[in-house]
Amino acid sequence: MSYLTGLALGISAGKQVGKLYRSKGFQLVHKSRGRRRYYHEELVHNAEFAEKLEQQLAGASILHCFAINQVTGTLLLEYTCQDEQMDRIISYLDDIAQRPSPTSSYGKIGSDIRRGFSSMNKKIKKNTGLTFDLRTLVSLWLMAWGVNKMWTLGQRPSGPQMLWWSYSLLKGRDS
């Protein structure tokens, strides 16, 4: 089996396993004019998630009213807008449901890591007079390492990969 075949199989298997554990999100249970009922498995006996939804829906002016039932895991929406707008609201709520909360261990660790790298980036910019940032320095390091692997050590598969990573880091720099 070649490297690429193994990589493709690994990616495919990973996606299939991920589907098994991923939430199905908001599922439309019933729909009539100006009224929809959705089911979400995470909503069953989950006061924290219900509160999160309430905070998001409280300011929506297009909703006439909404009700969350934690026992059945349903969300009832009564609205006065077009169906497309409701689809966008449910898509937004699905997106929020998938994000970890800032107090969860995953969210806290991720936030701490991002804060650390952001702080390091600010120090690099300050000390170099805005000439370099963290992304540029990592890119230059990958570029030097890739060139070293290609010409000094003759490692062709991994050397160009380092250069590609370097290019990819620099490509997204302005965004």
mmCIF file of all heavy atoms in Angstrom, residues 89-126:
data_model
loop_
_atom_site.group_PDB
_atom_site.id
_atom_site.type_symbol
_atom_site.label_atom_id
_atom_site.label_comp_id
_atom_site.label_asym_id
_atom_site.label_seq_id
_atom_site.Cartn_x
_atom_site.Cartn_y
_atom_site.Cartn_z
ATOM 1 N N ILE A 89 -31.638 30.774 11.127
ATOM 2 C CA ILE A 89 -31.589 30.805 12.592
ATOM 3 C C ILE A 89 -31.239 29.423 13.133
ATOM 4 O O ILE A 89 -30.388 29.281 14.012
ATOM 5 C CB ILE A 89 -32.926 31.310 13.188
ATOM 6 C CG1 ILE A 89 -33.052 32.805 12.954
ATOM 7 C CG2 ILE A 89 -33.021 30.989 14.673
ATOM 8 C CD1 ILE A 89 -34.370 33.395 13.395
ATOM 9 N N ILE A 90 -31.855 28.377 12.593
ATOM 10 C CA ILE A 90 -31.577 27.011 13.056
ATOM 11 C C ILE A 90 -30.141 26.618 12.713
ATOM 12 O O ILE A 90 -29.458 25.978 13.517
ATOM 13 C CB ILE A 90 -32.597 26.012 12.456
ATOM 14 C CG1 ILE A 90 -33.976 26.274 13.060
ATOM 15 C CG2 ILE A 90 -32.167 24.584 12.675
ATOM 16 C CD1 ILE A 90 -34.034 26.151 14.577
ATOM 17 N N SER A 91 -29.672 27.035 11.557
ATOM 18 C CA SER A 91 -28.274 26.765 11.188
ATOM 19 C C SER A 91 -27.334 27.451 12.185
ATOM 20 O O SER A 91 -26.332 26.863 12.612
ATOM 21 C CB SER A 91 -28.020 27.268 9.773
ATOM 22 O OG SER A 91 -26.681 27.120 9.436
ATOM 23 N N TYR A 92 -27.655 28.678 12.569
ATOM 24 C CA TYR A 92 -26.857 29.416 13.550
ATOM 25 C C TYR A 92 -26.892 28.702 14.905
ATOM 26 O O TYR A 92 -25.855 28.546 15.565
ATOM 27 C CB TYR A 92 -27.392 30.841 13.669
ATOM 28 C CG TYR A 92 -26.761 31.648 14.775
ATOM 29 C CD1 TYR A 92 -25.449 32.100 14.680
ATOM 30 C CD2 TYR A 92 -27.477 31.958 15.932
ATOM 31 C CE1 TYR A 92 -24.871 32.835 15.696
ATOM 32 C CE2 TYR A 92 -26.909 32.702 16.949
ATOM 33 C CZ TYR A 92 -25.612 33.128 16.825
ATOM 34 O OH TYR A 92 -25.036 33.866 17.834
ATOM 35 N N LEU A 93 -28.074 28.254 15.327
ATOM 36 C CA LEU A 93 -28.189 27.541 16.602
ATOM 37 C C LEU A 93 -27.414 26.225 16.566
ATOM 38 O O LEU A 93 -26.817 25.821 17.558
ATOM 39 C CB LEU A 93 -29.662 27.290 16.951
ATOM 40 C CG LEU A 93 -30.492 28.528 17.285
ATOM 41 C CD1 LEU A 93 -31.942 28.137 17.526
ATOM 42 C CD2 LEU A 93 -29.928 29.272 18.478
ATOM 43 N N ASP A 94 -27.429 25.545 15.426
ATOM 44 C CA ASP A 94 -26.629 24.322 15.275
ATOM 45 C C ASP A 94 -25.149 24.622 15.452
ATOM 46 O O ASP A 94 -24.418 23.866 16.098
ATOM 47 C CB ASP A 94 -26.859 23.698 13.896
ATOM 48 C CG ASP A 94 -27.844 22.558 13.919
ATOM 49 O OD1 ASP A 94 -28.001 21.919 14.983
ATOM 50 O OD2 ASP A 94 -28.458 22.300 12.873
ATOM 51 N N ASP A 95 -24.716 25.728 14.865
ATOM 52 C CA ASP A 95 -23.312 26.132 14.985
ATOM 53 C C ASP A 95 -22.950 26.408 16.437
ATOM 54 O O ASP A 95 -21.903 25.989 16.928
ATOM 55 C CB ASP A 95 -23.064 27.367 14.124
ATOM 56 C CG ASP A 95 -21.603 27.774 14.106
ATOM 57 O OD1 ASP A 95 -20.743 26.891 13.947
ATOM 58 O OD2 ASP A 95 -21.331 28.978 14.262
ATOM 59 N N ILE A 96 -23.828 27.099 17.145
ATOM 60 C CA ILE A 96 -23.595 27.398 18.564
ATOM 61 C C ILE A 96 -23.564 26.116 19.390
ATOM 62 O O ILE A 96 -22.756 25.968 20.303
ATOM 63 C CB ILE A 96 -24.678 28.359 19.095
ATOM 64 C CG1 ILE A 96 -24.441 29.741 18.525
ATOM 65 C CG2 ILE A 96 -24.698 28.397 20.605
ATOM 66 C CD1 ILE A 96 -25.517 30.730 18.857
ATOM 67 N N ALA A 97 -24.446 25.167 19.055
ATOM 68 C CA ALA A 97 -24.519 23.912 19.812
ATOM 69 C C ALA A 97 -23.236 23.107 19.691
ATOM 70 O O ALA A 97 -22.872 22.373 20.606
ATOM 71 C CB ALA A 97 -25.708 23.088 19.326
ATOM 72 N N GLN A 98 -22.524 23.251 18.593
ATOM 73 C CA GLN A 98 -21.302 22.472 18.379
ATOM 74 C C GLN A 98 -20.079 23.091 19.035
ATOM 75 O O GLN A 98 -19.076 22.425 19.225
ATOM 76 C CB GLN A 98 -21.046 22.300 16.883
ATOM 77 C CG GLN A 98 -22.085 21.433 16.219
ATOM 78 C CD GLN A 98 -21.924 21.369 14.718
ATOM 79 O OE1 GLN A 98 -21.024 21.975 14.155
ATOM 80 N NE2 GLN A 98 -22.799 20.638 14.072
ATOM 81 N N ARG A 99 -20.155 24.368 19.379
ATOM 82 C CA ARG A 99 -19.013 25.033 20.014
ATOM 83 C C ARG A 99 -18.925 24.642 21.491
ATOM 84 O O ARG A 99 -19.924 24.616 22.186
ATOM 85 C CB ARG A 99 -19.172 26.549 19.948
ATOM 86 C CG ARG A 99 -19.075 27.114 18.593
ATOM 87 C CD ARG A 99 -19.157 28.625 18.673
ATOM 88 N NE ARG A 99 -19.635 29.151 17.419
ATOM 89 C CZ ARG A 99 -20.208 30.324 17.280
ATOM 90 N NH1 ARG A 99 -20.390 31.094 18.325
ATOM 91 N NH2 ARG A 99 -20.614 30.731 16.116
ATOM 92 N N PRO A 100 -17.722 24.399 21.976
ATOM 93 C CA PRO A 100 -17.593 24.139 23.411
ATOM 94 C C PRO A 100 -17.764 25.446 24.182
ATOM 95 O O PRO A 100 -17.423 26.519 23.701
ATOM 96 C CB PRO A 100 -16.169 23.604 23.553
ATOM 97 C CG PRO A 100 -15.443 24.152 22.384
ATOM 98 C CD PRO A 100 -16.451 24.297 21.281
ATOM 99 N N SER A 101 -18.294 25.334 25.363
ATOM 100 C CA SER A 101 -18.463 26.536 26.179
ATOM 101 C C SER A 101 -17.095 26.963 26.715
ATOM 102 O O SER A 101 -16.201 26.137 26.876
ATOM 103 C CB SER A 101 -19.423 26.267 27.338
ATOM 104 O OG SER A 101 -18.811 25.439 28.290
ATOM 105 N N PRO A 102 -16.929 28.251 27.025
ATOM 106 C CA PRO A 102 -15.640 28.723 27.545
ATOM 107 C C PRO A 102 -15.270 28.087 28.874
ATOM 108 O O PRO A 102 -14.110 28.047 29.238
ATOM 109 C CB PRO A 102 -15.842 30.222 27.711
ATOM 110 C CG PRO A 102 -17.027 30.571 26.898
ATOM 111 C CD PRO A 102 -17.863 29.339 26.809
ATOM 112 N N THR A 103 -16.259 27.578 29.613
ATOM 113 C CA THR A 103 -15.960 26.970 30.905
ATOM 114 C C THR A 103 -15.646 25.484 30.794
ATOM 115 O O THR A 103 -15.174 24.891 31.745
ATOM 116 C CB THR A 103 -17.153 27.155 31.868
ATOM 117 O OG1 THR A 103 -18.318 26.589 31.263
ATOM 118 C CG2 THR A 103 -17.376 28.619 32.174
ATOM 119 N N SER A 104 -15.910 24.880 29.623
ATOM 120 C CA SER A 104 -15.573 23.464 29.479
ATOM 121 C C SER A 104 -14.056 23.324 29.412
ATOM 122 O O SER A 104 -13.353 24.243 29.013
ATOM 123 C CB SER A 104 -16.214 22.877 28.217
ATOM 124 O OG SER A 104 -15.600 23.402 27.068
ATOM 125 N N SER A 105 -13.569 22.164 29.789
ATOM 126 C CA SER A 105 -12.108 21.992 29.831
ATOM 127 C C SER A 105 -11.499 22.135 28.441
ATOM 128 O O SER A 105 -10.447 22.722 28.279
ATOM 129 C CB SER A 105 -11.756 20.634 30.432
ATOM 130 O OG SER A 105 -12.313 19.594 29.663
ATOM 131 N N TYR A 106 -12.202 21.629 27.418
ATOM 132 C CA TYR A 106 -11.680 21.762 26.055
ATOM 133 C C TYR A 106 -11.627 23.231 25.647
ATOM 134 O O TYR A 106 -10.644 23.704 25.134
ATOM 135 C CB TYR A 106 -12.557 20.972 25.075
ATOM 136 C CG TYR A 106 -12.240 21.262 23.635
ATOM 137 C CD1 TYR A 106 -11.140 20.680 23.030
ATOM 138 C CD2 TYR A 106 -13.010 22.143 22.893
ATOM 139 C CE1 TYR A 106 -10.836 20.956 21.713
ATOM 140 C CE2 TYR A 106 -12.714 22.419 21.582
ATOM 141 C CZ TYR A 106 -11.630 21.823 20.995
ATOM 142 O OH TYR A 106 -11.323 22.097 19.696
ATOM 143 N N GLY A 107 -12.717 23.951 25.890
ATOM 144 C CA GLY A 107 -12.767 25.360 25.530
ATOM 145 C C GLY A 107 -11.758 26.187 26.304
ATOM 146 O O GLY A 107 -11.133 27.085 25.759
ATOM 147 N N LYS A 108 -11.574 25.880 27.595
ATOM 148 C CA LYS A 108 -10.634 26.632 28.428
ATOM 149 C C LYS A 108 -9.199 26.383 27.981
ATOM 150 O O LYS A 108 -8.422 27.321 27.855
ATOM 151 C CB LYS A 108 -10.815 26.248 29.886
ATOM 152 C CG LYS A 108 -9.947 27.053 30.830
ATOM 153 C CD LYS A 108 -10.291 26.756 32.262
ATOM 154 C CE LYS A 108 -9.458 27.465 33.272
ATOM 155 N NZ LYS A 108 -8.306 28.175 32.860
ATOM 156 N N ILE A 109 -8.861 25.140 27.708
ATOM 157 C CA ILE A 109 -7.496 24.828 27.270
ATOM 158 C C ILE A 109 -7.213 25.489 25.930
ATOM 159 O O ILE A 109 -6.162 26.093 25.728
ATOM 160 C CB ILE A 109 -7.290 23.300 27.190
ATOM 161 C CG1 ILE A 109 -7.309 22.695 28.595
ATOM 162 C CG2 ILE A 109 -5.991 22.958 26.477
ATOM 163 C CD1 ILE A 109 -7.369 21.185 28.620
ATOM 164 N N GLY A 110 -8.179 25.387 24.999
ATOM 165 C CA GLY A 110 -8.009 26.013 23.690
ATOM 166 C C GLY A 110 -7.856 27.516 23.801
ATOM 167 O O GLY A 110 -7.017 28.124 23.135
ATOM 168 N N SER A 111 -8.662 28.132 24.668
ATOM 169 C CA SER A 111 -8.571 29.584 24.871
ATOM 170 C C SER A 111 -7.224 29.965 25.469
ATOM 171 O O SER A 111 -6.626 30.967 25.071
ATOM 172 C CB SER A 111 -9.686 30.063 25.793
ATOM 173 O OG SER A 111 -10.935 29.872 25.192
ATOM 174 N N ASP A 112 -6.744 29.180 26.432
ATOM 175 C CA ASP A 112 -5.438 29.454 27.044
ATOM 176 C C ASP A 112 -4.312 29.356 26.020
ATOM 177 O O ASP A 112 -3.400 30.182 25.996
ATOM 178 C CB ASP A 112 -5.167 28.492 28.197
ATOM 179 C CG ASP A 112 -6.051 28.757 29.407
ATOM 180 O OD1 ASP A 112 -6.676 29.836 29.459
ATOM 181 O OD2 ASP A 112 -6.131 27.871 30.288
ATOM 182 N N ILE A 113 -4.380 28.349 25.155
ATOM 183 C CA ILE A 113 -3.348 28.178 24.118
ATOM 184 C C ILE A 113 -3.376 29.354 23.154
ATOM 185 O O ILE A 113 -2.336 29.937 22.824
ATOM 186 C CB ILE A 113 -3.540 26.840 23.377
ATOM 187 C CG1 ILE A 113 -3.208 25.671 24.309
ATOM 188 C CG2 ILE A 113 -2.671 26.782 22.120
ATOM 189 C CD1 ILE A 113 -3.581 24.314 23.764
ATOM 190 N N ARG A 114 -4.584 29.729 22.675
ATOM 191 C CA ARG A 114 -4.704 30.863 21.754
ATOM 192 C C ARG A 114 -4.208 32.152 22.401
ATOM 193 O O ARG A 114 -3.523 32.951 21.760
ATOM 194 C CB ARG A 114 -6.148 31.023 21.295
ATOM 195 C CG ARG A 114 -6.542 30.064 20.199
ATOM 196 C CD ARG A 114 -7.883 30.426 19.602
ATOM 197 N NE ARG A 114 -8.960 30.407 20.575
ATOM 198 C CZ ARG A 114 -9.607 29.330 20.963
ATOM 199 N NH1 ARG A 114 -9.284 28.166 20.458
ATOM 200 N NH2 ARG A 114 -10.582 29.403 21.845
ATOM 201 N N ARG A 115 -4.551 32.360 23.674
ATOM 202 C CA ARG A 115 -4.112 33.561 24.386
ATOM 203 C C ARG A 115 -2.581 33.586 24.496
ATOM 204 O O ARG A 115 -1.952 34.632 24.317
ATOM 205 C CB ARG A 115 -4.738 33.596 25.779
ATOM 206 C CG ARG A 115 -5.405 34.887 26.101
ATOM 207 C CD ARG A 115 -5.976 35.006 27.501
ATOM 208 N NE ARG A 115 -6.274 33.790 28.221
ATOM 209 C CZ ARG A 115 -7.459 33.168 28.182
ATOM 210 N NH1 ARG A 115 -8.426 33.648 27.460
ATOM 211 N NH2 ARG A 115 -7.666 32.068 28.873
ATOM 212 N N GLY A 116 -1.976 32.429 24.777
ATOM 213 C CA GLY A 116 -0.522 32.352 24.886
ATOM 214 C C GLY A 116 0.166 32.681 23.572
ATOM 215 O O GLY A 116 1.133 33.456 23.538
ATOM 216 N N PHE A 117 -0.340 32.109 22.478
ATOM 217 C CA PHE A 117 0.266 32.387 21.173
ATOM 218 C C PHE A 117 0.014 33.831 20.741
ATOM 219 O O PHE A 117 0.881 34.454 20.126
ATOM 220 C CB PHE A 117 -0.239 31.409 20.106
ATOM 221 C CG PHE A 117 0.489 30.104 20.131
ATOM 222 C CD1 PHE A 117 -0.143 28.948 20.537
ATOM 223 C CD2 PHE A 117 1.821 30.028 19.757
ATOM 224 C CE1 PHE A 117 0.527 27.734 20.571
ATOM 225 C CE2 PHE A 117 2.504 28.828 19.781
ATOM 226 C CZ PHE A 117 1.859 27.677 20.192
ATOM 227 N N SER A 118 -1.145 34.367 21.084
ATOM 228 C CA SER A 118 -1.436 35.762 20.755
ATOM 229 C C SER A 118 -0.487 36.694 21.506
ATOM 230 O O SER A 118 0.036 37.656 20.935
ATOM 231 C CB SER A 118 -2.882 36.080 21.106
ATOM 232 O OG SER A 118 -3.173 37.418 20.847
ATOM 233 N N SER A 119 -0.236 36.385 22.764
ATOM 234 C CA SER A 119 0.697 37.179 23.563
ATOM 235 C C SER A 119 2.110 37.098 22.985
ATOM 236 O O SER A 119 2.806 38.117 22.873
ATOM 237 C CB SER A 119 0.676 36.679 25.006
ATOM 238 O OG SER A 119 1.692 37.260 25.758
ATOM 239 N N MET A 120 2.517 35.877 22.608
ATOM 240 C CA MET A 120 3.847 35.689 22.022
ATOM 241 C C MET A 120 3.956 36.467 20.712
ATOM 242 O O MET A 120 4.972 37.104 20.428
ATOM 243 C CB MET A 120 4.095 34.195 21.767
ATOM 244 C CG MET A 120 5.511 33.857 21.367
ATOM 245 S SD MET A 120 5.784 32.111 20.957
ATOM 246 C CE MET A 120 4.862 31.230 22.170
ATOM 247 N N ASN A 121 2.891 36.443 19.897
ATOM 248 C CA ASN A 121 2.877 37.155 18.630
ATOM 249 C C ASN A 121 3.021 38.662 18.841
ATOM 250 O O ASN A 121 3.769 39.332 18.135
ATOM 251 C CB ASN A 121 1.578 36.835 17.877
ATOM 252 C CG ASN A 121 1.611 37.292 16.444
ATOM 253 O OD1 ASN A 121 2.650 37.331 15.821
ATOM 254 N ND2 ASN A 121 0.450 37.660 15.930
ATOM 255 N N LYS A 122 2.322 39.204 19.844
ATOM 256 C CA LYS A 122 2.416 40.638 20.137
ATOM 257 C C LYS A 122 3.826 41.026 20.566
ATOM 258 O O LYS A 122 4.344 42.068 20.169
ATOM 259 C CB LYS A 122 1.416 41.018 21.229
ATOM 260 C CG LYS A 122 -0.012 41.046 20.748
ATOM 261 C CD LYS A 122 -0.971 41.354 21.873
ATOM 262 C CE LYS A 122 -2.410 41.272 21.396
ATOM 263 N NZ LYS A 122 -3.373 41.434 22.474
ATOM 264 N N LYS A 123 4.465 40.170 21.382
ATOM 265 C CA LYS A 123 5.835 40.460 21.827
ATOM 266 C C LYS A 123 6.806 40.444 20.656
ATOM 267 O O LYS A 123 7.706 41.288 20.565
ATOM 268 C CB LYS A 123 6.265 39.445 22.887
ATOM 269 C CG LYS A 123 5.591 39.657 24.221
ATOM 270 C CD LYS A 123 6.008 38.610 25.223
ATOM 271 C CE LYS A 123 5.236 38.786 26.525
ATOM 272 N NZ LYS A 123 5.525 37.734 27.493
ATOM 273 N N ILE A 124 6.631 39.473 19.743
ATOM 274 C CA ILE A 124 7.515 39.394 18.567
ATOM 275 C C ILE A 124 7.342 40.637 17.700
ATOM 276 O O ILE A 124 8.320 41.244 17.257
ATOM 277 C CB ILE A 124 7.241 38.107 17.760
ATOM 278 C CG1 ILE A 124 7.704 36.879 18.552
ATOM 279 C CG2 ILE A 124 7.911 38.151 16.394
ATOM 280 C CD1 ILE A 124 7.268 35.557 17.963
ATOM 281 N N LYS A 125 6.110 41.043 17.459
ATOM 282 C CA LYS A 125 5.858 42.241 16.650
ATOM 283 C C LYS A 125 6.473 43.477 17.301
ATOM 284 O O LYS A 125 7.083 44.312 16.628
ATOM 285 C CB LYS A 125 4.356 42.461 16.474
ATOM 286 C CG LYS A 125 3.713 41.544 15.475
ATOM 287 C CD LYS A 125 2.225 41.860 15.367
ATOM 288 C CE LYS A 125 1.540 41.038 14.336
ATOM 289 N NZ LYS A 125 0.102 41.364 14.241
ATOM 290 N N LYS A 126 6.302 43.586 18.618
ATOM 291 C CA LYS A 126 6.827 44.752 19.339
ATOM 292 C C LYS A 126 8.355 44.789 19.280
ATOM 293 O O LYS A 126 8.950 45.828 19.026
ATOM 294 C CB LYS A 126 6.354 44.705 20.794
ATOM 295 C CG LYS A 126 6.805 45.862 21.633
ATOM 296 C CD LYS A 126 6.327 45.721 23.060
ATOM 297 C CE LYS A 126 6.906 46.792 23.943
ATOM 298 N NZ LYS A 126 6.640 46.551 25.356
#
